Amino acid sequence: MTLLALSFALYLFALWKRPLLYGGLLLQIAYMVSRGAELGRLPLVGPHDTLVFLTASIAAFAIPFGFTLKERDRFFAIIAAAAALFTAFAMTAKQHNSPLPPVLKTFWFEFHVVLAFMSYALFGIAAICGGLYIKKQQSTVDGLAYRAILIGYCLFTLSMIFGGIWAYLAWGTYWMWTPKELWTSILWAYYSFYLHARLTPSWSGKPMAYLGIVGFGVVMFTYLGVSLLMKSSHSF
Amino acid sequence: MKILNYILKFFLSLQTSLWLLGLSLLLMLVGAVIMPGNPAFQELHSIQLFRWITTQPLQITWWLWGLIGVLAVMAVNTLFCSVESIIKKRKVTHWLLLISPQVIHIGFLFILLAHLLSSAGAYKMTAVAREGSLIRISEKAALLKVNNINIKLDYYGGIADYKVDVEYIRDGKVFERDVIRPNDPSDKTGVNIVVKNISPYPREAVLLEIHSEPGAVWALTGGILFMAGIVCLIMLKVRIER
């Protein structure tokens, strides 16, 4: 937990000194590796581990994405604030330390979770770009948001496919009528809407930015809201 | 002729796609509110959607009926838009850029087809079995015999791993043997048999689930096509940008 607390501090100070963001990310990676070694598996179960992974993914994706921007200082400052916030939540969230049930010991599950959180991170980056675009209306920021969503959508779709294959092998069916599956479909349909809306001139500019921001709200509800409030195979 | 033209225009429009996507989102959001609080939806795990939906009151199923309708129109819209796009842009130099979105669309249609087939023809059966139990798994007179249930416990007393040896019997003769493990179902007779639950005490017992998912292959094919199309599209966009 010390490593995580240190990474939180570095993310917080990265609001003023950007290189500290890299330090925060490295410490978080070290924390995940140490936790993985301790548990003997990928630490991807429960709100604590998934929040840590989400934060590290946001920071890791933000680095290559941010360097293409003119507004990079502001962009990295927002990323640092978001990373600090999610790390703080992770530190207060419950750790899942008990052995996994046999059905979770498969690479289908691991890929399913890893890809889902990578896509969530990219949707988060797109939302931050959306916020920046509303303020300054720079086309590079808009382009970056689109790229983040396109790659995020690709990873999210792959995560759904892996989830379907895993569910078929584990429970005999690729689709189950649970709130999580329904919200996952809502999220997927939402970003399908985003990508199609982008092809029409009437949606270009600020409406797309707002769509990107609202999208991350849907992501957060699908991830935390549904898992914490509703009963499903994805409950925490 | 005017009406035909109007219908064609409607199905070829990107605005139609957006409206349909928006409408499907809205209906799913309504469903996400209705579904968790209603125990009737638990039954959906054991019977086909199309059989279940006709037996339930409209107050809880109207959004699903609406969604099925919207998805049907969306399927036609997707097909029309793809065909039109290929006809209109067939002379472009980047034919891969033209074909990738259409591959994504075909993948999506396959996934819809998968859900349609499963909603109409899927079935699920459950059975509790102990070592030596015989279960009739289909109308084709095949029996499943559970020979051996092997459970490995972890340090905390939880189930770390398990293995269930089974054999298939027809006309009194064993025609196939198999082992069911976590994430490794038995599918020797066209149905998928998984261990839903397993108990080591007081005597080893398993809760087996026997599934038939006619849409599974289509869903997988659709998923592969969808991914192939989207990966191709991203790679081409990156190349063109460079």
Side-chain angles (χ1 to χ4, degrees), chain A residues 97-106 108-109 143 146-147 150-159 161 165-183 185-203 218 221 230-231, chain B residues 14-15 17-19 21-22 24-25 28-29 31-33 35-36 41 44-45 49 63-64 67 104-105 108 111 114-116 118-119 154 156 159-162 181-185 187 192 194-196 209 211-216 219-220 222-224 226-227 230-231 233-234 237 241:
Chain A
N97 294 328
S98 50
L100 291 182
V103 86
L104 296 186
K105 293 175 193 167
T106 167
W108 292 112
F109 163 72
Y146 170 61
R147 251 169 278 162
L150 189 61
I151 299 169
Y153 182 77
C154 175
L155 297 182
F156 188 63
T157 308
L158 197 57
S159 162
I161 294 168
I165 295 171
W166 171 46
Y168 184 75
L169 297 174
W171 298 295
T173 177
Y174 61 91
W175 173 263
M176 279 180 282
W177 286 97
T178 68
K180 187 73 173 194
E181 266 86 347
L182 196 57
W183 273 98
S185 307
I186 290 171
L187 188 60
W188 188 78
Y190 185 88
Y191 283 105
S192 301
F193 180 91
Y194 177 99
L195 292 171
H196 283 85
R198 221 186 144 83
L199 300 172
T200 61
S202 56
W203 279 88
V218 183
F221 188 78
M230 297 171 194
K231 201 172 171 261
Chain B
L14 183 60
Q15 288 300 331
S17 318
L18 288 175
W19 276 107
L21 273 167
S24 67
L25 267 169
M28 281 194 281
L29 279 169
V33 175
M35 207 173 94
F41 284 89
L44 256 179
H45 295 292
L49 173 72
W63 64 276
L64 259 175
L67 191 60
I104 296 173
H105 285 163
F108 169 68
I111 292 167
H115 279 285
L116 183 71
S118 289
S119 299
D154 61 28
Y156 303 94
I159 292 160
D161 202 5
Y162 58 80
R181 292 190 176 90
N183 299 303
D184 185 11
D187 56 356
N192 211 13
V194 296
V195 171
K196 180 80 180 182
E209 261 189 17
H211 285 266
S212 169
E213 279 283 0
L220 183 65
I224 292 168
F226 199 101
M227 278 318 297
I230 202 163
V231 168
L233 188 69
I234 290 174
K237 283 197 180 238
E241 266 183 36

Side-chain angles (χ1 to χ4, degrees), chain A residues 149 190-191 193-194 197 203 206-216:
Chain A
I149 286 180
Y190 185 88
Y191 283 105
F193 180 91
Y194 177 99
W203 279 88
K206 276 190 181 178
M208 292 314 296
Y210 284 115
L211 270 183
I213 295 168
V214 174
F216 193 58

Side-chain angles (χ1 to χ4, degrees), chain A residues 78-96:
Chain A
I78 302 170
I79 291 288
L85 185 73
F86 283 130
T87 308
F89 282 141
M91 287 196 295
T92 56
K94 201 180 138 201
Q95 284 185 344
H96 190 289

